[in-house]
Amino acid sequence: MALASSDTATSLPVGPLSETADLPWHGRLGRLLPQGRAGLSSLLLVLLLVGAVEWITRRSGTEALAFLLDPLRPGLATAGLVILLALSVDALAGRRYLGLLVLLPLALLPAFISRQKQLFLSDPLYPADLLFGRQVMALMPVLVRDRPLMAAAVVFGLLALLVGLALTLRLCWRRFPVLSLRQRLKRLAVVLPIMVALVPFLDYHNYFWLRDRLRIVPIMWDQTENYRHNGFLMAFALNAPMARVSAPSGYSAEAIHRMDPGPVPFGTTHRTSPDVIMVMSESLFDPTRLPRLQLSPDPMPTMRALQSGHVFSPEFGGMTANVEFEALTGFSNAFLPYGSIPYQQYVRESLPSLAAFFRAEGYVARAIHPFQRWFWNRETVYSAFGFEEFRSEERLPPLDKRGQFASDDALMGEIMRQADLLDRPFFFFAVTLQGHGPYEAGRYPTETVTVTGDLPDAERAALSTYAQGVQEADKALARLIDWAEQRDRETIILLFGDHLPPLNAVYPESGFMPDVTAARKGKPADMALQHETPLILWSNRTGPVRDLGTISPALLPYHLLKAGGFEHPFYTEFLGKVAARYSVLDRHLLLNAQGKAAPDWLQARKLDPLLADYRMLQHDMLFGRRHGSDPFFRGDDRLLANEGQHPGRFGG
């Protein structure tokens, strides 16, 4: 037969042409096209799908095309991963091309939802948003009233999509080419090892060579940039590990009510309401702890003289928002998924905090930070926490800078200026900025701290810059203390560092620790050394509180309110019980009040009932039905309820 010629033998499948004559067009295409051309067609379809997703989320075809073609962004890498997923679905279902059909709505529908969310809430869609169906349903009447035609079109479109997808799947299941068992196994043998090898790219805490080569850059502190650079599909995947938050075993209304603290007083117990200033100092660390090095003079004499203890930071070199979350709420990151960022993923409605407590006591509650209000989603979060005002860079007067950041001295001066204008008692929560890295040589024209010891020149310059910043932070605190000592009203100042600075090679070169970043797990002594930051709790009436030891940020609300003479069902009663038994609650380390360690305590078969209650109450307030609102957050909850369930009140 003529069909047996060498020209056709290389381009047609084995078997007579008549076997394809009765097949539908897609069946004939799959049997007749060479594998190379079929693969190219699949690649083009995937590129179109990824491009469509980006066009929907960005509302710009030009930007979508730029994402695909930019070699510094993972557009083609995203397409490659989609192909792997499609091949996996094909192999599991036993039908060629079915994977692309299944992935089509799974990619386009979330992209469309993300775009609608951005129109109303400015944020893209996160996997964790799937946990907040109740809040979304509560917003639906508002959305319908605002855009009735759009709402009707969305409902009609979704119904049409579901019906069309069901009919298409039914039709294609019978007509798409069937894969033999051997073909399915071959696909899985290629795809599964690749997929398993790519799993570590979701762990953005650690460097992953392949992720770096694919130009995937987890920008978790700025989700807008994260989605812009990595694209919707990749950024959504990077956020996926944070979405799964299961209820603790035994969670119920009855279990929460069994924790009822009883008639605990709410408010001050024995003094007039003191003013409270809480300062989280960016990257504050005692650099004299670095071995084999000497710093002269001591860069932090004021802090050393007043020091109450240390904060055990759950982070290292960054992720400030996670430390802030603990310090303001009294909740612990240890009970949340590894890698999660509550400010970005979980704070979707009003949540009790120190700000809400003080507001309920009649205080002015104000957050102050000399950077842009969008960073770490602070504007929305502070509103949800009950702060009545957030003085960000946009709403502060121009502050003198040291290097590229507002100086600690200028920020302390602004705190004093604002305080002097108030007649009512106030709670200020301030986050400094001067100590932020990188610590480039020459940031300060004059450096007055000398570093001696065996250290390469580049690392010595970085440490000198950092030490100069610590010295200036110390002088700024001394200025704030001097001001407070002259005040008639009792004034309490709480200052702590959020995490150790990113000094990179300074750490291994000095012998402080073997790597440039701290270990997540290790010996308790090493963990403490690599995560401890200074803690000062001081009153102009009673002086510094001493011997607090090393404590987790989540326990700061307890110590602060006790120092001020306050009582509260959660912050002093419940957290007081936790603080009496434990000092550090970290994901990989639990320290009791006597300093005895329990590494990997969360994996233990049985959890201390007190910690189990702590975890359950936190889940109840963050993700559950808030059965604990009345017994534990009476005044706070009423205040937040009166202000509405959807944060975001602050203007520019």
Side-chain angles (χ1 to χ4, degrees), residues 348-359:
R348 289 291 183 270
E349 59 181 346
S350 299
L351 189 69
S353 75
L354 285 176
F357 165 75
F358 281 111
R359 286 281 304 285

Side-chain angles (χ1 to χ4, degrees), residues 193-319:
I194 298 176
M195 299 292 285
V196 171
L198 290 175
V199 169
F201 97 93
L202 293 175
D203 181 11
Y204 56 81
H205 281 93
N206 296 311
Y207 175 79
F208 185 44
W209 179 86
L210 183 57
R211 183 179 63 203
D212 187 62
R213 298 285 79 77
L214 294 176
R215 305 299 184 182
I216 301 168
V217 183
I219 311 173
M220 312 312 290
W221 60 92
D222 180 1
Q223 289 291 345
T224 300
E225 182 62 19
N226 191 30
Y227 278 72
R228 189 203 70 80
H229 174 84
N230 294 306
F232 174 78
L233 296 175
M234 194 66 70
F236 191 85
L238 288 170
N239 281 290
M242 309 171 199
R244 188 171 58 86
V245 183
S246 302
S249 176
Y251 170 65
S252 66
E254 292 74 19
I256 296 294
H257 291 151
R258 281 198 297 270
M259 305 178 204
D260 192 338
V264 177
F266 187 98
T268 53
T269 57
H270 62 275
R271 301 204 292 258
T272 57
S273 300
D275 292 331
V276 178
I277 300 171
M278 187 175 185
V279 180
M280 187 170 69
S281 185
E282 173 63 43
S283 298
L284 179 63
F285 161 70
D286 182 357
T288 66
R289 285 186 158 199
L290 295 169
R292 305 201 297 265
L293 301 175
Q294 296 79 44
L295 281 73
S296 180
D298 181 0
M300 46 184 294
T302 302
M303 296 182 190
R304 202 174 307 284
L306 301 177
Q307 193 160 343
S308 305
H310 293 91
V311 163
F312 185 98
S313 175
E315 303 295 342
F316 179 90
M319 307 298 286

Side-chain angles (χ1 to χ4, degrees), residues 407-577:
S407 73
D408 283 11
D409 185 70
L411 179 61
M412 296 303 179
E414 177 62 17
I415 290 172
M416 293 183 280
R417 186 190 70 82
Q418 293 187 32
D420 288 339
L421 294 175
L422 295 174
D423 295 325
R424 292 163 52 199
F426 62 82
F427 168 63
F428 285 173
F429 175 70
V431 182
T432 72
L433 193 58
Q434 181 179 342
H436 204 289
Y439 307 106
E440 69 282 0
R443 176 192 288 194
Y444 304 112
T446 302
E447 293 182 353
T448 58
V449 179
T450 302
V451 177
T452 57
D454 186 15
L455 199 63
D457 290 343
E459 283 67 45
R460 185 188 307 277
L463 179 57
S464 296
T465 295
Y466 175 75
Q468 182 66 30
V470 171
Q471 184 186 66
E472 296 187 12
D474 188 82
K475 291 180 177 179
L477 174 63
R479 181 186 174 199
L480 184 67
I481 294 287
D482 290 342
W483 165 81
E485 286 180 331
Q486 307 305 315
R487 305 189 78 222
D488 293 331
R489 182 189 292 275
E490 181 178 7
T491 305
I492 295 174
I493 296 174
L494 170 63
L495 181 141
F496 65 100
D498 55 352
H499 52 69
L500 267 68
L503 287 171
N504 301 320
V506 169
Y507 294 122
E509 290 287 349
S510 68
F512 182 77
M513 58 188 183
D515 298 313
V516 297
T517 58
R520 289 287 172 178
K521 299 173 65 175
K523 296 179 181 179
D526 293 338
M527 291 283 285
L529 188 66
Q530 298 172 18
H531 289 270
E532 284 181 345
T533 68
L535 167 62
I536 292 94
L537 178 55
W538 175 90
S539 166
N540 64 350
R541 292 288 185 271
T542 59
V545 176
R546 299 293 188 181
D547 302 322
L548 291 183
T550 299
I551 62 174
S552 285
L555 300 179
L556 288 174
Y558 164 72
H559 292 287
L560 175 62
L561 294 191
K562 291 301 289 184
F566 293 96
E567 294 291 341
H568 183 276
F570 177 74
Y571 293 118
T572 58
E573 174 71 15
F574 187 87
L575 275 187
K577 294 177 181 178

Side-chain angles (χ1 to χ4, degrees), residues 66-108:
F67 170 73
L68 287 173
L69 298 180
D70 188 346
L72 298 180
R73 289 197 279 178
L76 294 180
T78 302
L81 292 175
V82 172
I83 289 176
L84 291 176
L85 289 173
L87 290 175
S88 301
V89 175
D90 287 352
L92 294 173
R95 292 291 192 279
R96 191 177 293 169
Y97 311 128
L98 192 65
L100 282 176
L101 184 63
V102 170
L103 292 177
L104 183 70
L106 293 180
L108 294 180

Side-chain angles (χ1 to χ4, degrees), residues 136-150:
V136 173
M137 294 306 298
L139 276 175
M140 287 306 295
V142 178
L143 302 181
V144 171
R145 283 198 304 270
D146 187 61
R147 299 189 176 192
L149 294 180
M150 173 63 74

Side-chain angles (χ1 to χ4, degrees), residues 260-264 266 569 629-639:
D260 192 338
V264 177
F266 187 98
S629 292
D630 182 61
F632 288 98
F633 301 98
R634 297 183 193 111
D636 321 36
D637 196 58
R638 283 192 292 272
L639 169 77

Side-chain angles (χ1 to χ4, degrees), residues 34-184:
Q35 290 301 309
R37 291 174 60 191
L40 180 60
S41 300
S42 297
L43 176 60
L44 291 175
L45 289 173
V46 168
L47 288 173
L48 286 174
L49 174 59
V50 174
V53 167
E54 295 304 316
W55 174 71
I56 292 171
T57 55
R58 299 169 191 265
R59 295 191 73 183
S60 169
T62 302
E63 291 186 16
L65 185 62
F67 170 73
L68 287 173
L69 298 180
D70 188 346
L72 298 180
R73 289 197 279 178
L76 294 180
T78 302
L81 292 175
V82 172
I83 289 176
L84 291 176
L85 289 173
L87 290 175
S88 301
V89 175
D90 287 352
L92 294 173
R95 292 291 192 279
R96 191 177 293 169
Y97 311 128
L98 192 65
L100 282 176
L101 184 63
V102 170
L103 292 177
L104 183 70
L106 293 180
L108 294 180
L109 185 58
F112 176 77
I113 295 174
S114 181
R115 183 59 206 166
Q116 299 309 306
K117 182 190 173 191
Q118 286 178 291
L119 291 175
F120 290 96
L121 300 176
S122 75
D123 283 339
L125 184 71
Y126 303 124
D129 288 329
L130 303 178
L131 300 171
F132 295 90
R134 181 162 56 95
Q135 288 87 328
V136 173
M137 294 306 298
L139 276 175
M140 287 306 295
V142 178
L143 302 181
V144 171
R145 283 198 304 270
D146 187 61
R147 299 189 176 192
L149 294 180
M150 173 63 74
V154 169
V155 172
F156 178 79
L158 288 176
L159 291 175
L161 178 64
L162 291 174
V163 172
L165 180 62
L167 293 176
T168 303
L169 283 174
R170 184 171 181 269
L171 176 68
C172 295
W173 182 260
R174 294 182 297 177
R175 298 192 177 187
F176 275 1
V178 177
L179 295 173
S180 67
L181 179 60
R182 183 179 178 184
Q183 290 173 314
R184 296 168 69 180

